[in-house]
Amino acid sequence: TVLFKDLSFIVPKAAIVGIIGPNGTGKTTLMNMLAGKGQPDTGEIVTGSTVKTSYVEQERDALKGDCSLIDEVGGGGDFVMIAKREVPIRQYLSRFGFRGPDQQKMASQLSGGERNRCNLAKLLKEGGNALLMDEPTNDLDVNTLRLLEEAILDFCGCVMVISHDRFFLDRICTHLLVFEGEGQVRWFKGNYQEYEEWRLKELGSRLFENRRGRYRKLVKK
């Protein structure tokens, strides 16, 4: 099965690229290839010599189960380096909603939302200049979601993020990669709202309009 074909794009400096489209169209496959975890059947992916990639996968399976949250994020140290500045690990974790006894939890005890926040804390301290994020908003509370948005907007490198949250994409994106089905992927300059306005004007339909039309409205008798 061909997931996508004739796809060519260059990520501009400091771009924030949202990757959108229905499930099963190849978004995560593309992300894995960008992270060096697979190769395309044809064509090539060229990575700049100074690019350092940090990747948070949707499965969140990068956590160890046999160490505390402090050790998982801090690597056993009392401080982490954020933007060339030492920040106490406990203070850093509190920014992600981990306070008091929660910081002593074992990684295996974390809920889905807590695992997501832990992965974000690890990702944002790594210092990469290209962030790859697969559904990072899953299970996040409002405060952590705002923290994520601010961190992405303040980030001086490139970000590529898969998300179904159109409001999140409207707030952060400079570009989109839109998986439109049948192997077609469109590179678009702008956020989700701008893409929908363009698509409605040029093609006369929204991306998910047909899918929503399959479901009938409930009528109370």
Side-chain angles (χ1 to χ4, degrees):
T1 301
V2 176
L3 291 176
F4 47 84
K5 58 187 177 182
D6 301 326
L7 173 58
S8 178
F9 63 92
I10 297 174
V11 180
K13 183 178 180 180
I16 301 174
V17 182
I19 303 176
I20 65 173
N23 292 332
T25 51
K27 302 187 299 297
T28 297
T29 299
L30 174 63
M31 189 72 84
N32 285 333
M33 289 193 293
L34 293 173
K37 296 189 174 185
Q39 294 296 323
D41 295 329
T42 59
E44 62 178 341
I45 296 172
V46 179
T47 303
S49 59
T50 60
V51 172
K52 180 183 178 183
T53 301
S54 298
Y55 184 24
V56 169
E57 301 178 61
Q58 188 173 3
E59 288 77 14
R60 321 285 186 235
D61 58 359
L63 302 183
K64 301 174 184 176
D66 57 352
C67 66
S68 69
L69 182 62
I70 287 180
D71 289 336
E72 179 70 40
V73 177
D78 294 327
F79 297 86
V80 294
M81 294 296 297
I82 305 297
K84 299 182 180 180
R85 182 170 62 91
E86 280 193 343
V87 177
I89 180 61
R90 291 183 179 275
Q91 178 184 331
Y92 180 68
L93 286 173
S94 69
R95 298 179 184 178
F96 295 85
F98 296 110
R99 297 179 177 86
D102 284 345
Q103 297 184 353
Q104 298 297 335
K105 281 185 176 180
M106 303 297 286
S108 59
Q109 297 174 318
L110 300 179
S111 67
E114 289 173 331
R115 290 178 69 85
N116 200 344
R117 285 188 277 137
C118 180
N119 267 301
L120 290 175
K122 291 180 65 177
L123 172 74
L124 296 176
K125 79 175 183 63
E126 286 182 3
N129 55 18
L131 303 184
L132 306 179
M133 313 178 82
D134 193 347
E135 295 287 359
T137 63
N138 285 353
D139 303 315
L140 291 187
D141 57 60
V142 173
N143 291 333
T144 310
L145 180 58
R146 294 295 175 266
L147 172 69
L148 174 62
E149 291 174 2
E150 292 172 4
I152 290 175
L153 291 171
D154 290 341
F155 186 67
C156 59
C158 296
V159 181
M160 300 190 72
V161 53
I162 298 173
S163 180
H164 291 284
D165 186 340
R166 62 161 296 171
F167 302 105
F168 171 69
L169 297 174
D170 280 341
R171 287 189 288 265
I172 66 167
C173 284
T174 60
H175 299 74
L176 294 177
L177 268 177
V178 187
F179 283 69
E180 297 182 327
E182 299 181 354
Q184 300 301 311
V185 183
R186 187 183 303 276
W187 174 263
F188 182 82
K189 185 176 181 180
N191 63 18
Y192 189 96
Q193 181 177 348
E194 292 167 332
Y195 167 75
E196 276 215 322
E197 291 172 353
W198 171 87
R199 184 181 175 91
L200 192 60
K201 179 180 178 181
E202 297 295 325
L203 304 178
S205 67
R206 294 183 173 85
L207 180 61
F208 301 113
E209 192 168 57
N210 292 335
R211 185 178 68 176
R212 287 199 298 263
R214 293 204 306 263
Y215 300 95
R216 296 181 179 179
K217 294 182 179 180
L218 293 177
V219 179
K220 185 176 181 181
K221 295 184 178 179

